[in-house]
Amino acid sequence: MAYRSAAQDKVFATVYQTNVLPYGARDFEFWTTSRNGHKPNFYWGMDNRFEFEMGLGKSVQTSFYFNTDNSMYGDPEMKVDGLSHDIGIGISNEWKWKLSDPVADGFGTALYQEFEFEPDEFESESKFILDKRIGQNLIAVNAFYQYQVHIDASKGKMTTTTSSPVELDFGFMHFLGNNCGIGVEMKEHNDISQSFGWENSILYAGPSVFFNGSGWMISINILPQLNNFHKTSISPESLVLDSHERLESRVVLSFNL
Amino acid sequence: MKRIICFICLIVFFIGCQPALYKPKEANMPTNSNANLAQLKEGRRLYIENCSGCHNLHLPIEYSMEEWKDNLDDMQRKAKISDAEKELIYEFLVYKYR
């Protein structure tokens, strides 16, 4: 019979779990995230990540990513089709350290750190991960803090801006047998910038499913933006659509190597 | 503020929870088990130590006694466990079926 040990047993597309690969195990993951629905101008973006994951033993794993992000948006200054295109590439390195197990212990915990480099941006992302298995259900919570430095040289001058988004993520998955599950994922994103302080608090939530087999898994979610809980002069509306998407959806496909 | 309180409550909920993987106790020992309490506890320890390194731990209720037997036979070589260790893990995993 097929015993589930596929691709790190990941079940969520956005929310992280505490599990890590064992010593010497390697996974390849392909992520694609579609983001669309800005106002007032048209916007559509697609981010792709190619990830190589490796277990280092002692409950530690590391990953290396190659990232590309492509976006297309309405731009009145463009005379031909009214659209501008942006393409970005970058690399990331991620570390995860599992402290306790979600099945054997009262709850699972892990620490996570990721560094991302792009030609015009540096990001550091720190996460605290909690998860808990209750019968055929898995609950996971992530609290994360990001520090971003963005370099803008578009108008002939080099300027640097920093921002520090804070996010709380929540996932619930109900296992339907050993190889698939259905659940929900939520994320509450808070933009906090050097210039304007706490700008908004945006809730995304939607359905999530996963399937896995021997040595592979796929997880998919669709997260519409539902509300802005912290309205300010920068983000006065109940949805923040000038800088965030109306709809975000992600597919993660993973293989054991 | 309400959301911060909810988040803290969620963390307290996590902390307050018992492990999903049961711990053998004198009070819930089956009368017809092939193993004693110390052996069941050792089986739990071996299961966590040898299996959680490679995949998520599965709950005993996810498989029948026969399926656990097959799973352990399949995984024995990968996990590098002896026949005696495999037997202790098996007895722990199926003791609630007895």
Side-chain angles (χ1 to χ4, degrees):
Chain A
M1 74 182 298
Y3 196 79
R4 196 178 78 212
S5 58
Q8 210 193 328
D9 296 329
K10 192 171 183 166
V11 299
F12 298 112
T14 295
V15 181
Y16 281 72
Q17 299 159 241
T18 57
N19 47 2
V20 294
L21 290 172
Y23 174 74
R26 291 161 298 169
D27 268 7
F28 174 76
E29 286 188 7
F30 172 66
W31 305 40
T32 187
T33 308
S34 169
R35 299 180 284 106
N36 63 288
H38 279 197
K39 275 187 179 175
N41 296 319
F42 169 82
Y43 178 88
W44 182 75
M46 181 172 271
D47 303 338
N48 296 312
R49 306 190 87 183
F50 302 88
E51 181 188 10
F52 174 72
E53 251 173 12
M54 190 166 58
L56 299 177
K58 296 194 185 299
S59 301
V60 176
Q61 78 171 36
T62 189
S63 308
F64 297 92
Y65 293 87
F66 176 73
N67 310 314
T68 68
D69 47 86
N70 308 283
S71 57
M72 187 165 65
Y73 50 93
D75 183 351
E77 289 180 13
M78 297 298 286
K79 299 285 186 267
V80 180
D81 58 1
L83 292 171
S84 272
H85 303 258
D86 276 348
I87 297 174
I89 56 168
I91 53 168
S92 307
N93 176 221
E94 161 197 307
W95 292 83
K96 188 158 71 165
W97 180 27
K98 179 179 165 182
L99 304 172
S100 61
D101 188 274
V103 174
D105 300 309
F107 55 102
T109 55
L111 300 175
Y112 170 101
Q113 179 65 44
E114 180 182 337
F115 301 102
E116 183 173 350
F117 304 91
E118 284 190 29
D120 61 349
E121 197 167 272
F122 166 75
E123 276 182 22
S124 163
E125 193 175 302
S126 308
K127 277 192 172 81
F128 179 63
I129 306 169
L130 272 172
D131 58 4
K132 171 76 186 162
R133 179 77 189 259
I134 305 168
Q136 289 297 85
N137 306 302
L138 179 73
I139 297 169
V141 178
N142 303 166
F144 92 75
Y145 171 80
Q146 207 175 37
Y147 179 75
Q148 298 174 323
V149 180
H150 185 77
I151 300 162
D152 188 357
S154 59
K155 286 173 185 162
K157 275 196 295 186
M158 183 82 85
T159 54
T160 303
T161 53
T162 60
S163 56
S164 315
V166 173
E167 196 171 295
L168 295 176
D169 298 343
F170 173 83
F172 170 84
M173 185 63 68
H174 178 70
F175 294 97
L176 303 166
N178 287 324
N179 300 100
C180 62
I182 185 164
V184 292
E185 291 186 68
M186 291 182 208
K187 64 174 192 173
E188 192 187 357
H189 181 90
N190 300 271
D191 280 317
I192 301 167
S193 71
Q194 208 176 22
S195 320
F196 304 108
W198 186 15
E199 296 176 15
N200 52 46
S201 179
I202 309 161
L203 177 70
Y204 286 85
S208 179
V209 293
F210 86 92
F211 304 91
N212 69 24
S214 182
W216 65 274
M217 78 90 206
I218 185 168
S219 53
I220 302 167
N221 71 15
I222 299 171
L223 304 181
Q225 188 183 141
L226 299 182
N227 198 20
N228 171 21
F229 289 108
H230 185 71
K231 296 181 183 69
T232 62
S233 58
I234 303 289
S235 305
E237 307 289 335
S238 57
L239 295 178
V240 182
L241 297 176
D242 55 345
S243 55
H244 290 276
E245 295 72 42
R246 178 68 191 245
L247 186 70
E248 182 181 302
S249 54
R250 179 174 289 170
V251 178
V252 180
L253 186 60
S254 180
F255 300 95
N256 288 138
L257 297 175
Chain B
M1 189 57 160
K2 277 181 192 168
R3 272 166 290 130
I4 292 169
I5 292 168
C6 286
F7 185 66
I8 291 168
C9 289
L10 205 55
I11 289 174
V12 170
F13 164 76
F14 270 88
I15 291 169
C17 280
Q18 290 295 308
L21 188 68
Y22 55 67
K23 290 181 174 175
K25 290 177 183 157
E26 195 71 61
N28 57 18
M29 275 291 290
T31 51
N32 56 349
S33 173
N34 294 338
N36 60 34
L37 184 61
Q39 288 170 321
L40 292 176
K41 284 181 176 173
E42 179 64 4
R44 186 181 192 273
R45 189 190 67 77
L46 288 167
Y47 177 53
I48 294 167
E49 200 169 275
N50 291 286
C51 306
S52 69
C54 295
H55 54 79
N56 278 351
L57 290 175
H58 293 260
L59 296 173
I61 54 164
E62 290 180 50
Y63 299 101
S64 67
M65 290 175 77
E66 293 73 28
E67 286 172 329
W68 275 120
K69 190 94 184 150
D70 292 343
N71 287 336
L72 288 170
D73 287 342
D74 286 349
M75 300 300 291
Q76 182 176 10
R77 196 168 59 84
K78 277 187 186 174
K80 299 186 181 82
I81 52 175
S82 66
D83 287 346
E85 288 172 327
K86 185 181 76 172
E87 200 54 38
L88 286 172
I89 294 171
Y90 177 74
E91 285 302 327
F92 163 71
L93 290 169
V94 303
Y95 94 102
K96 285 215 167 172
Y97 290 112
R98 292 188 187 281

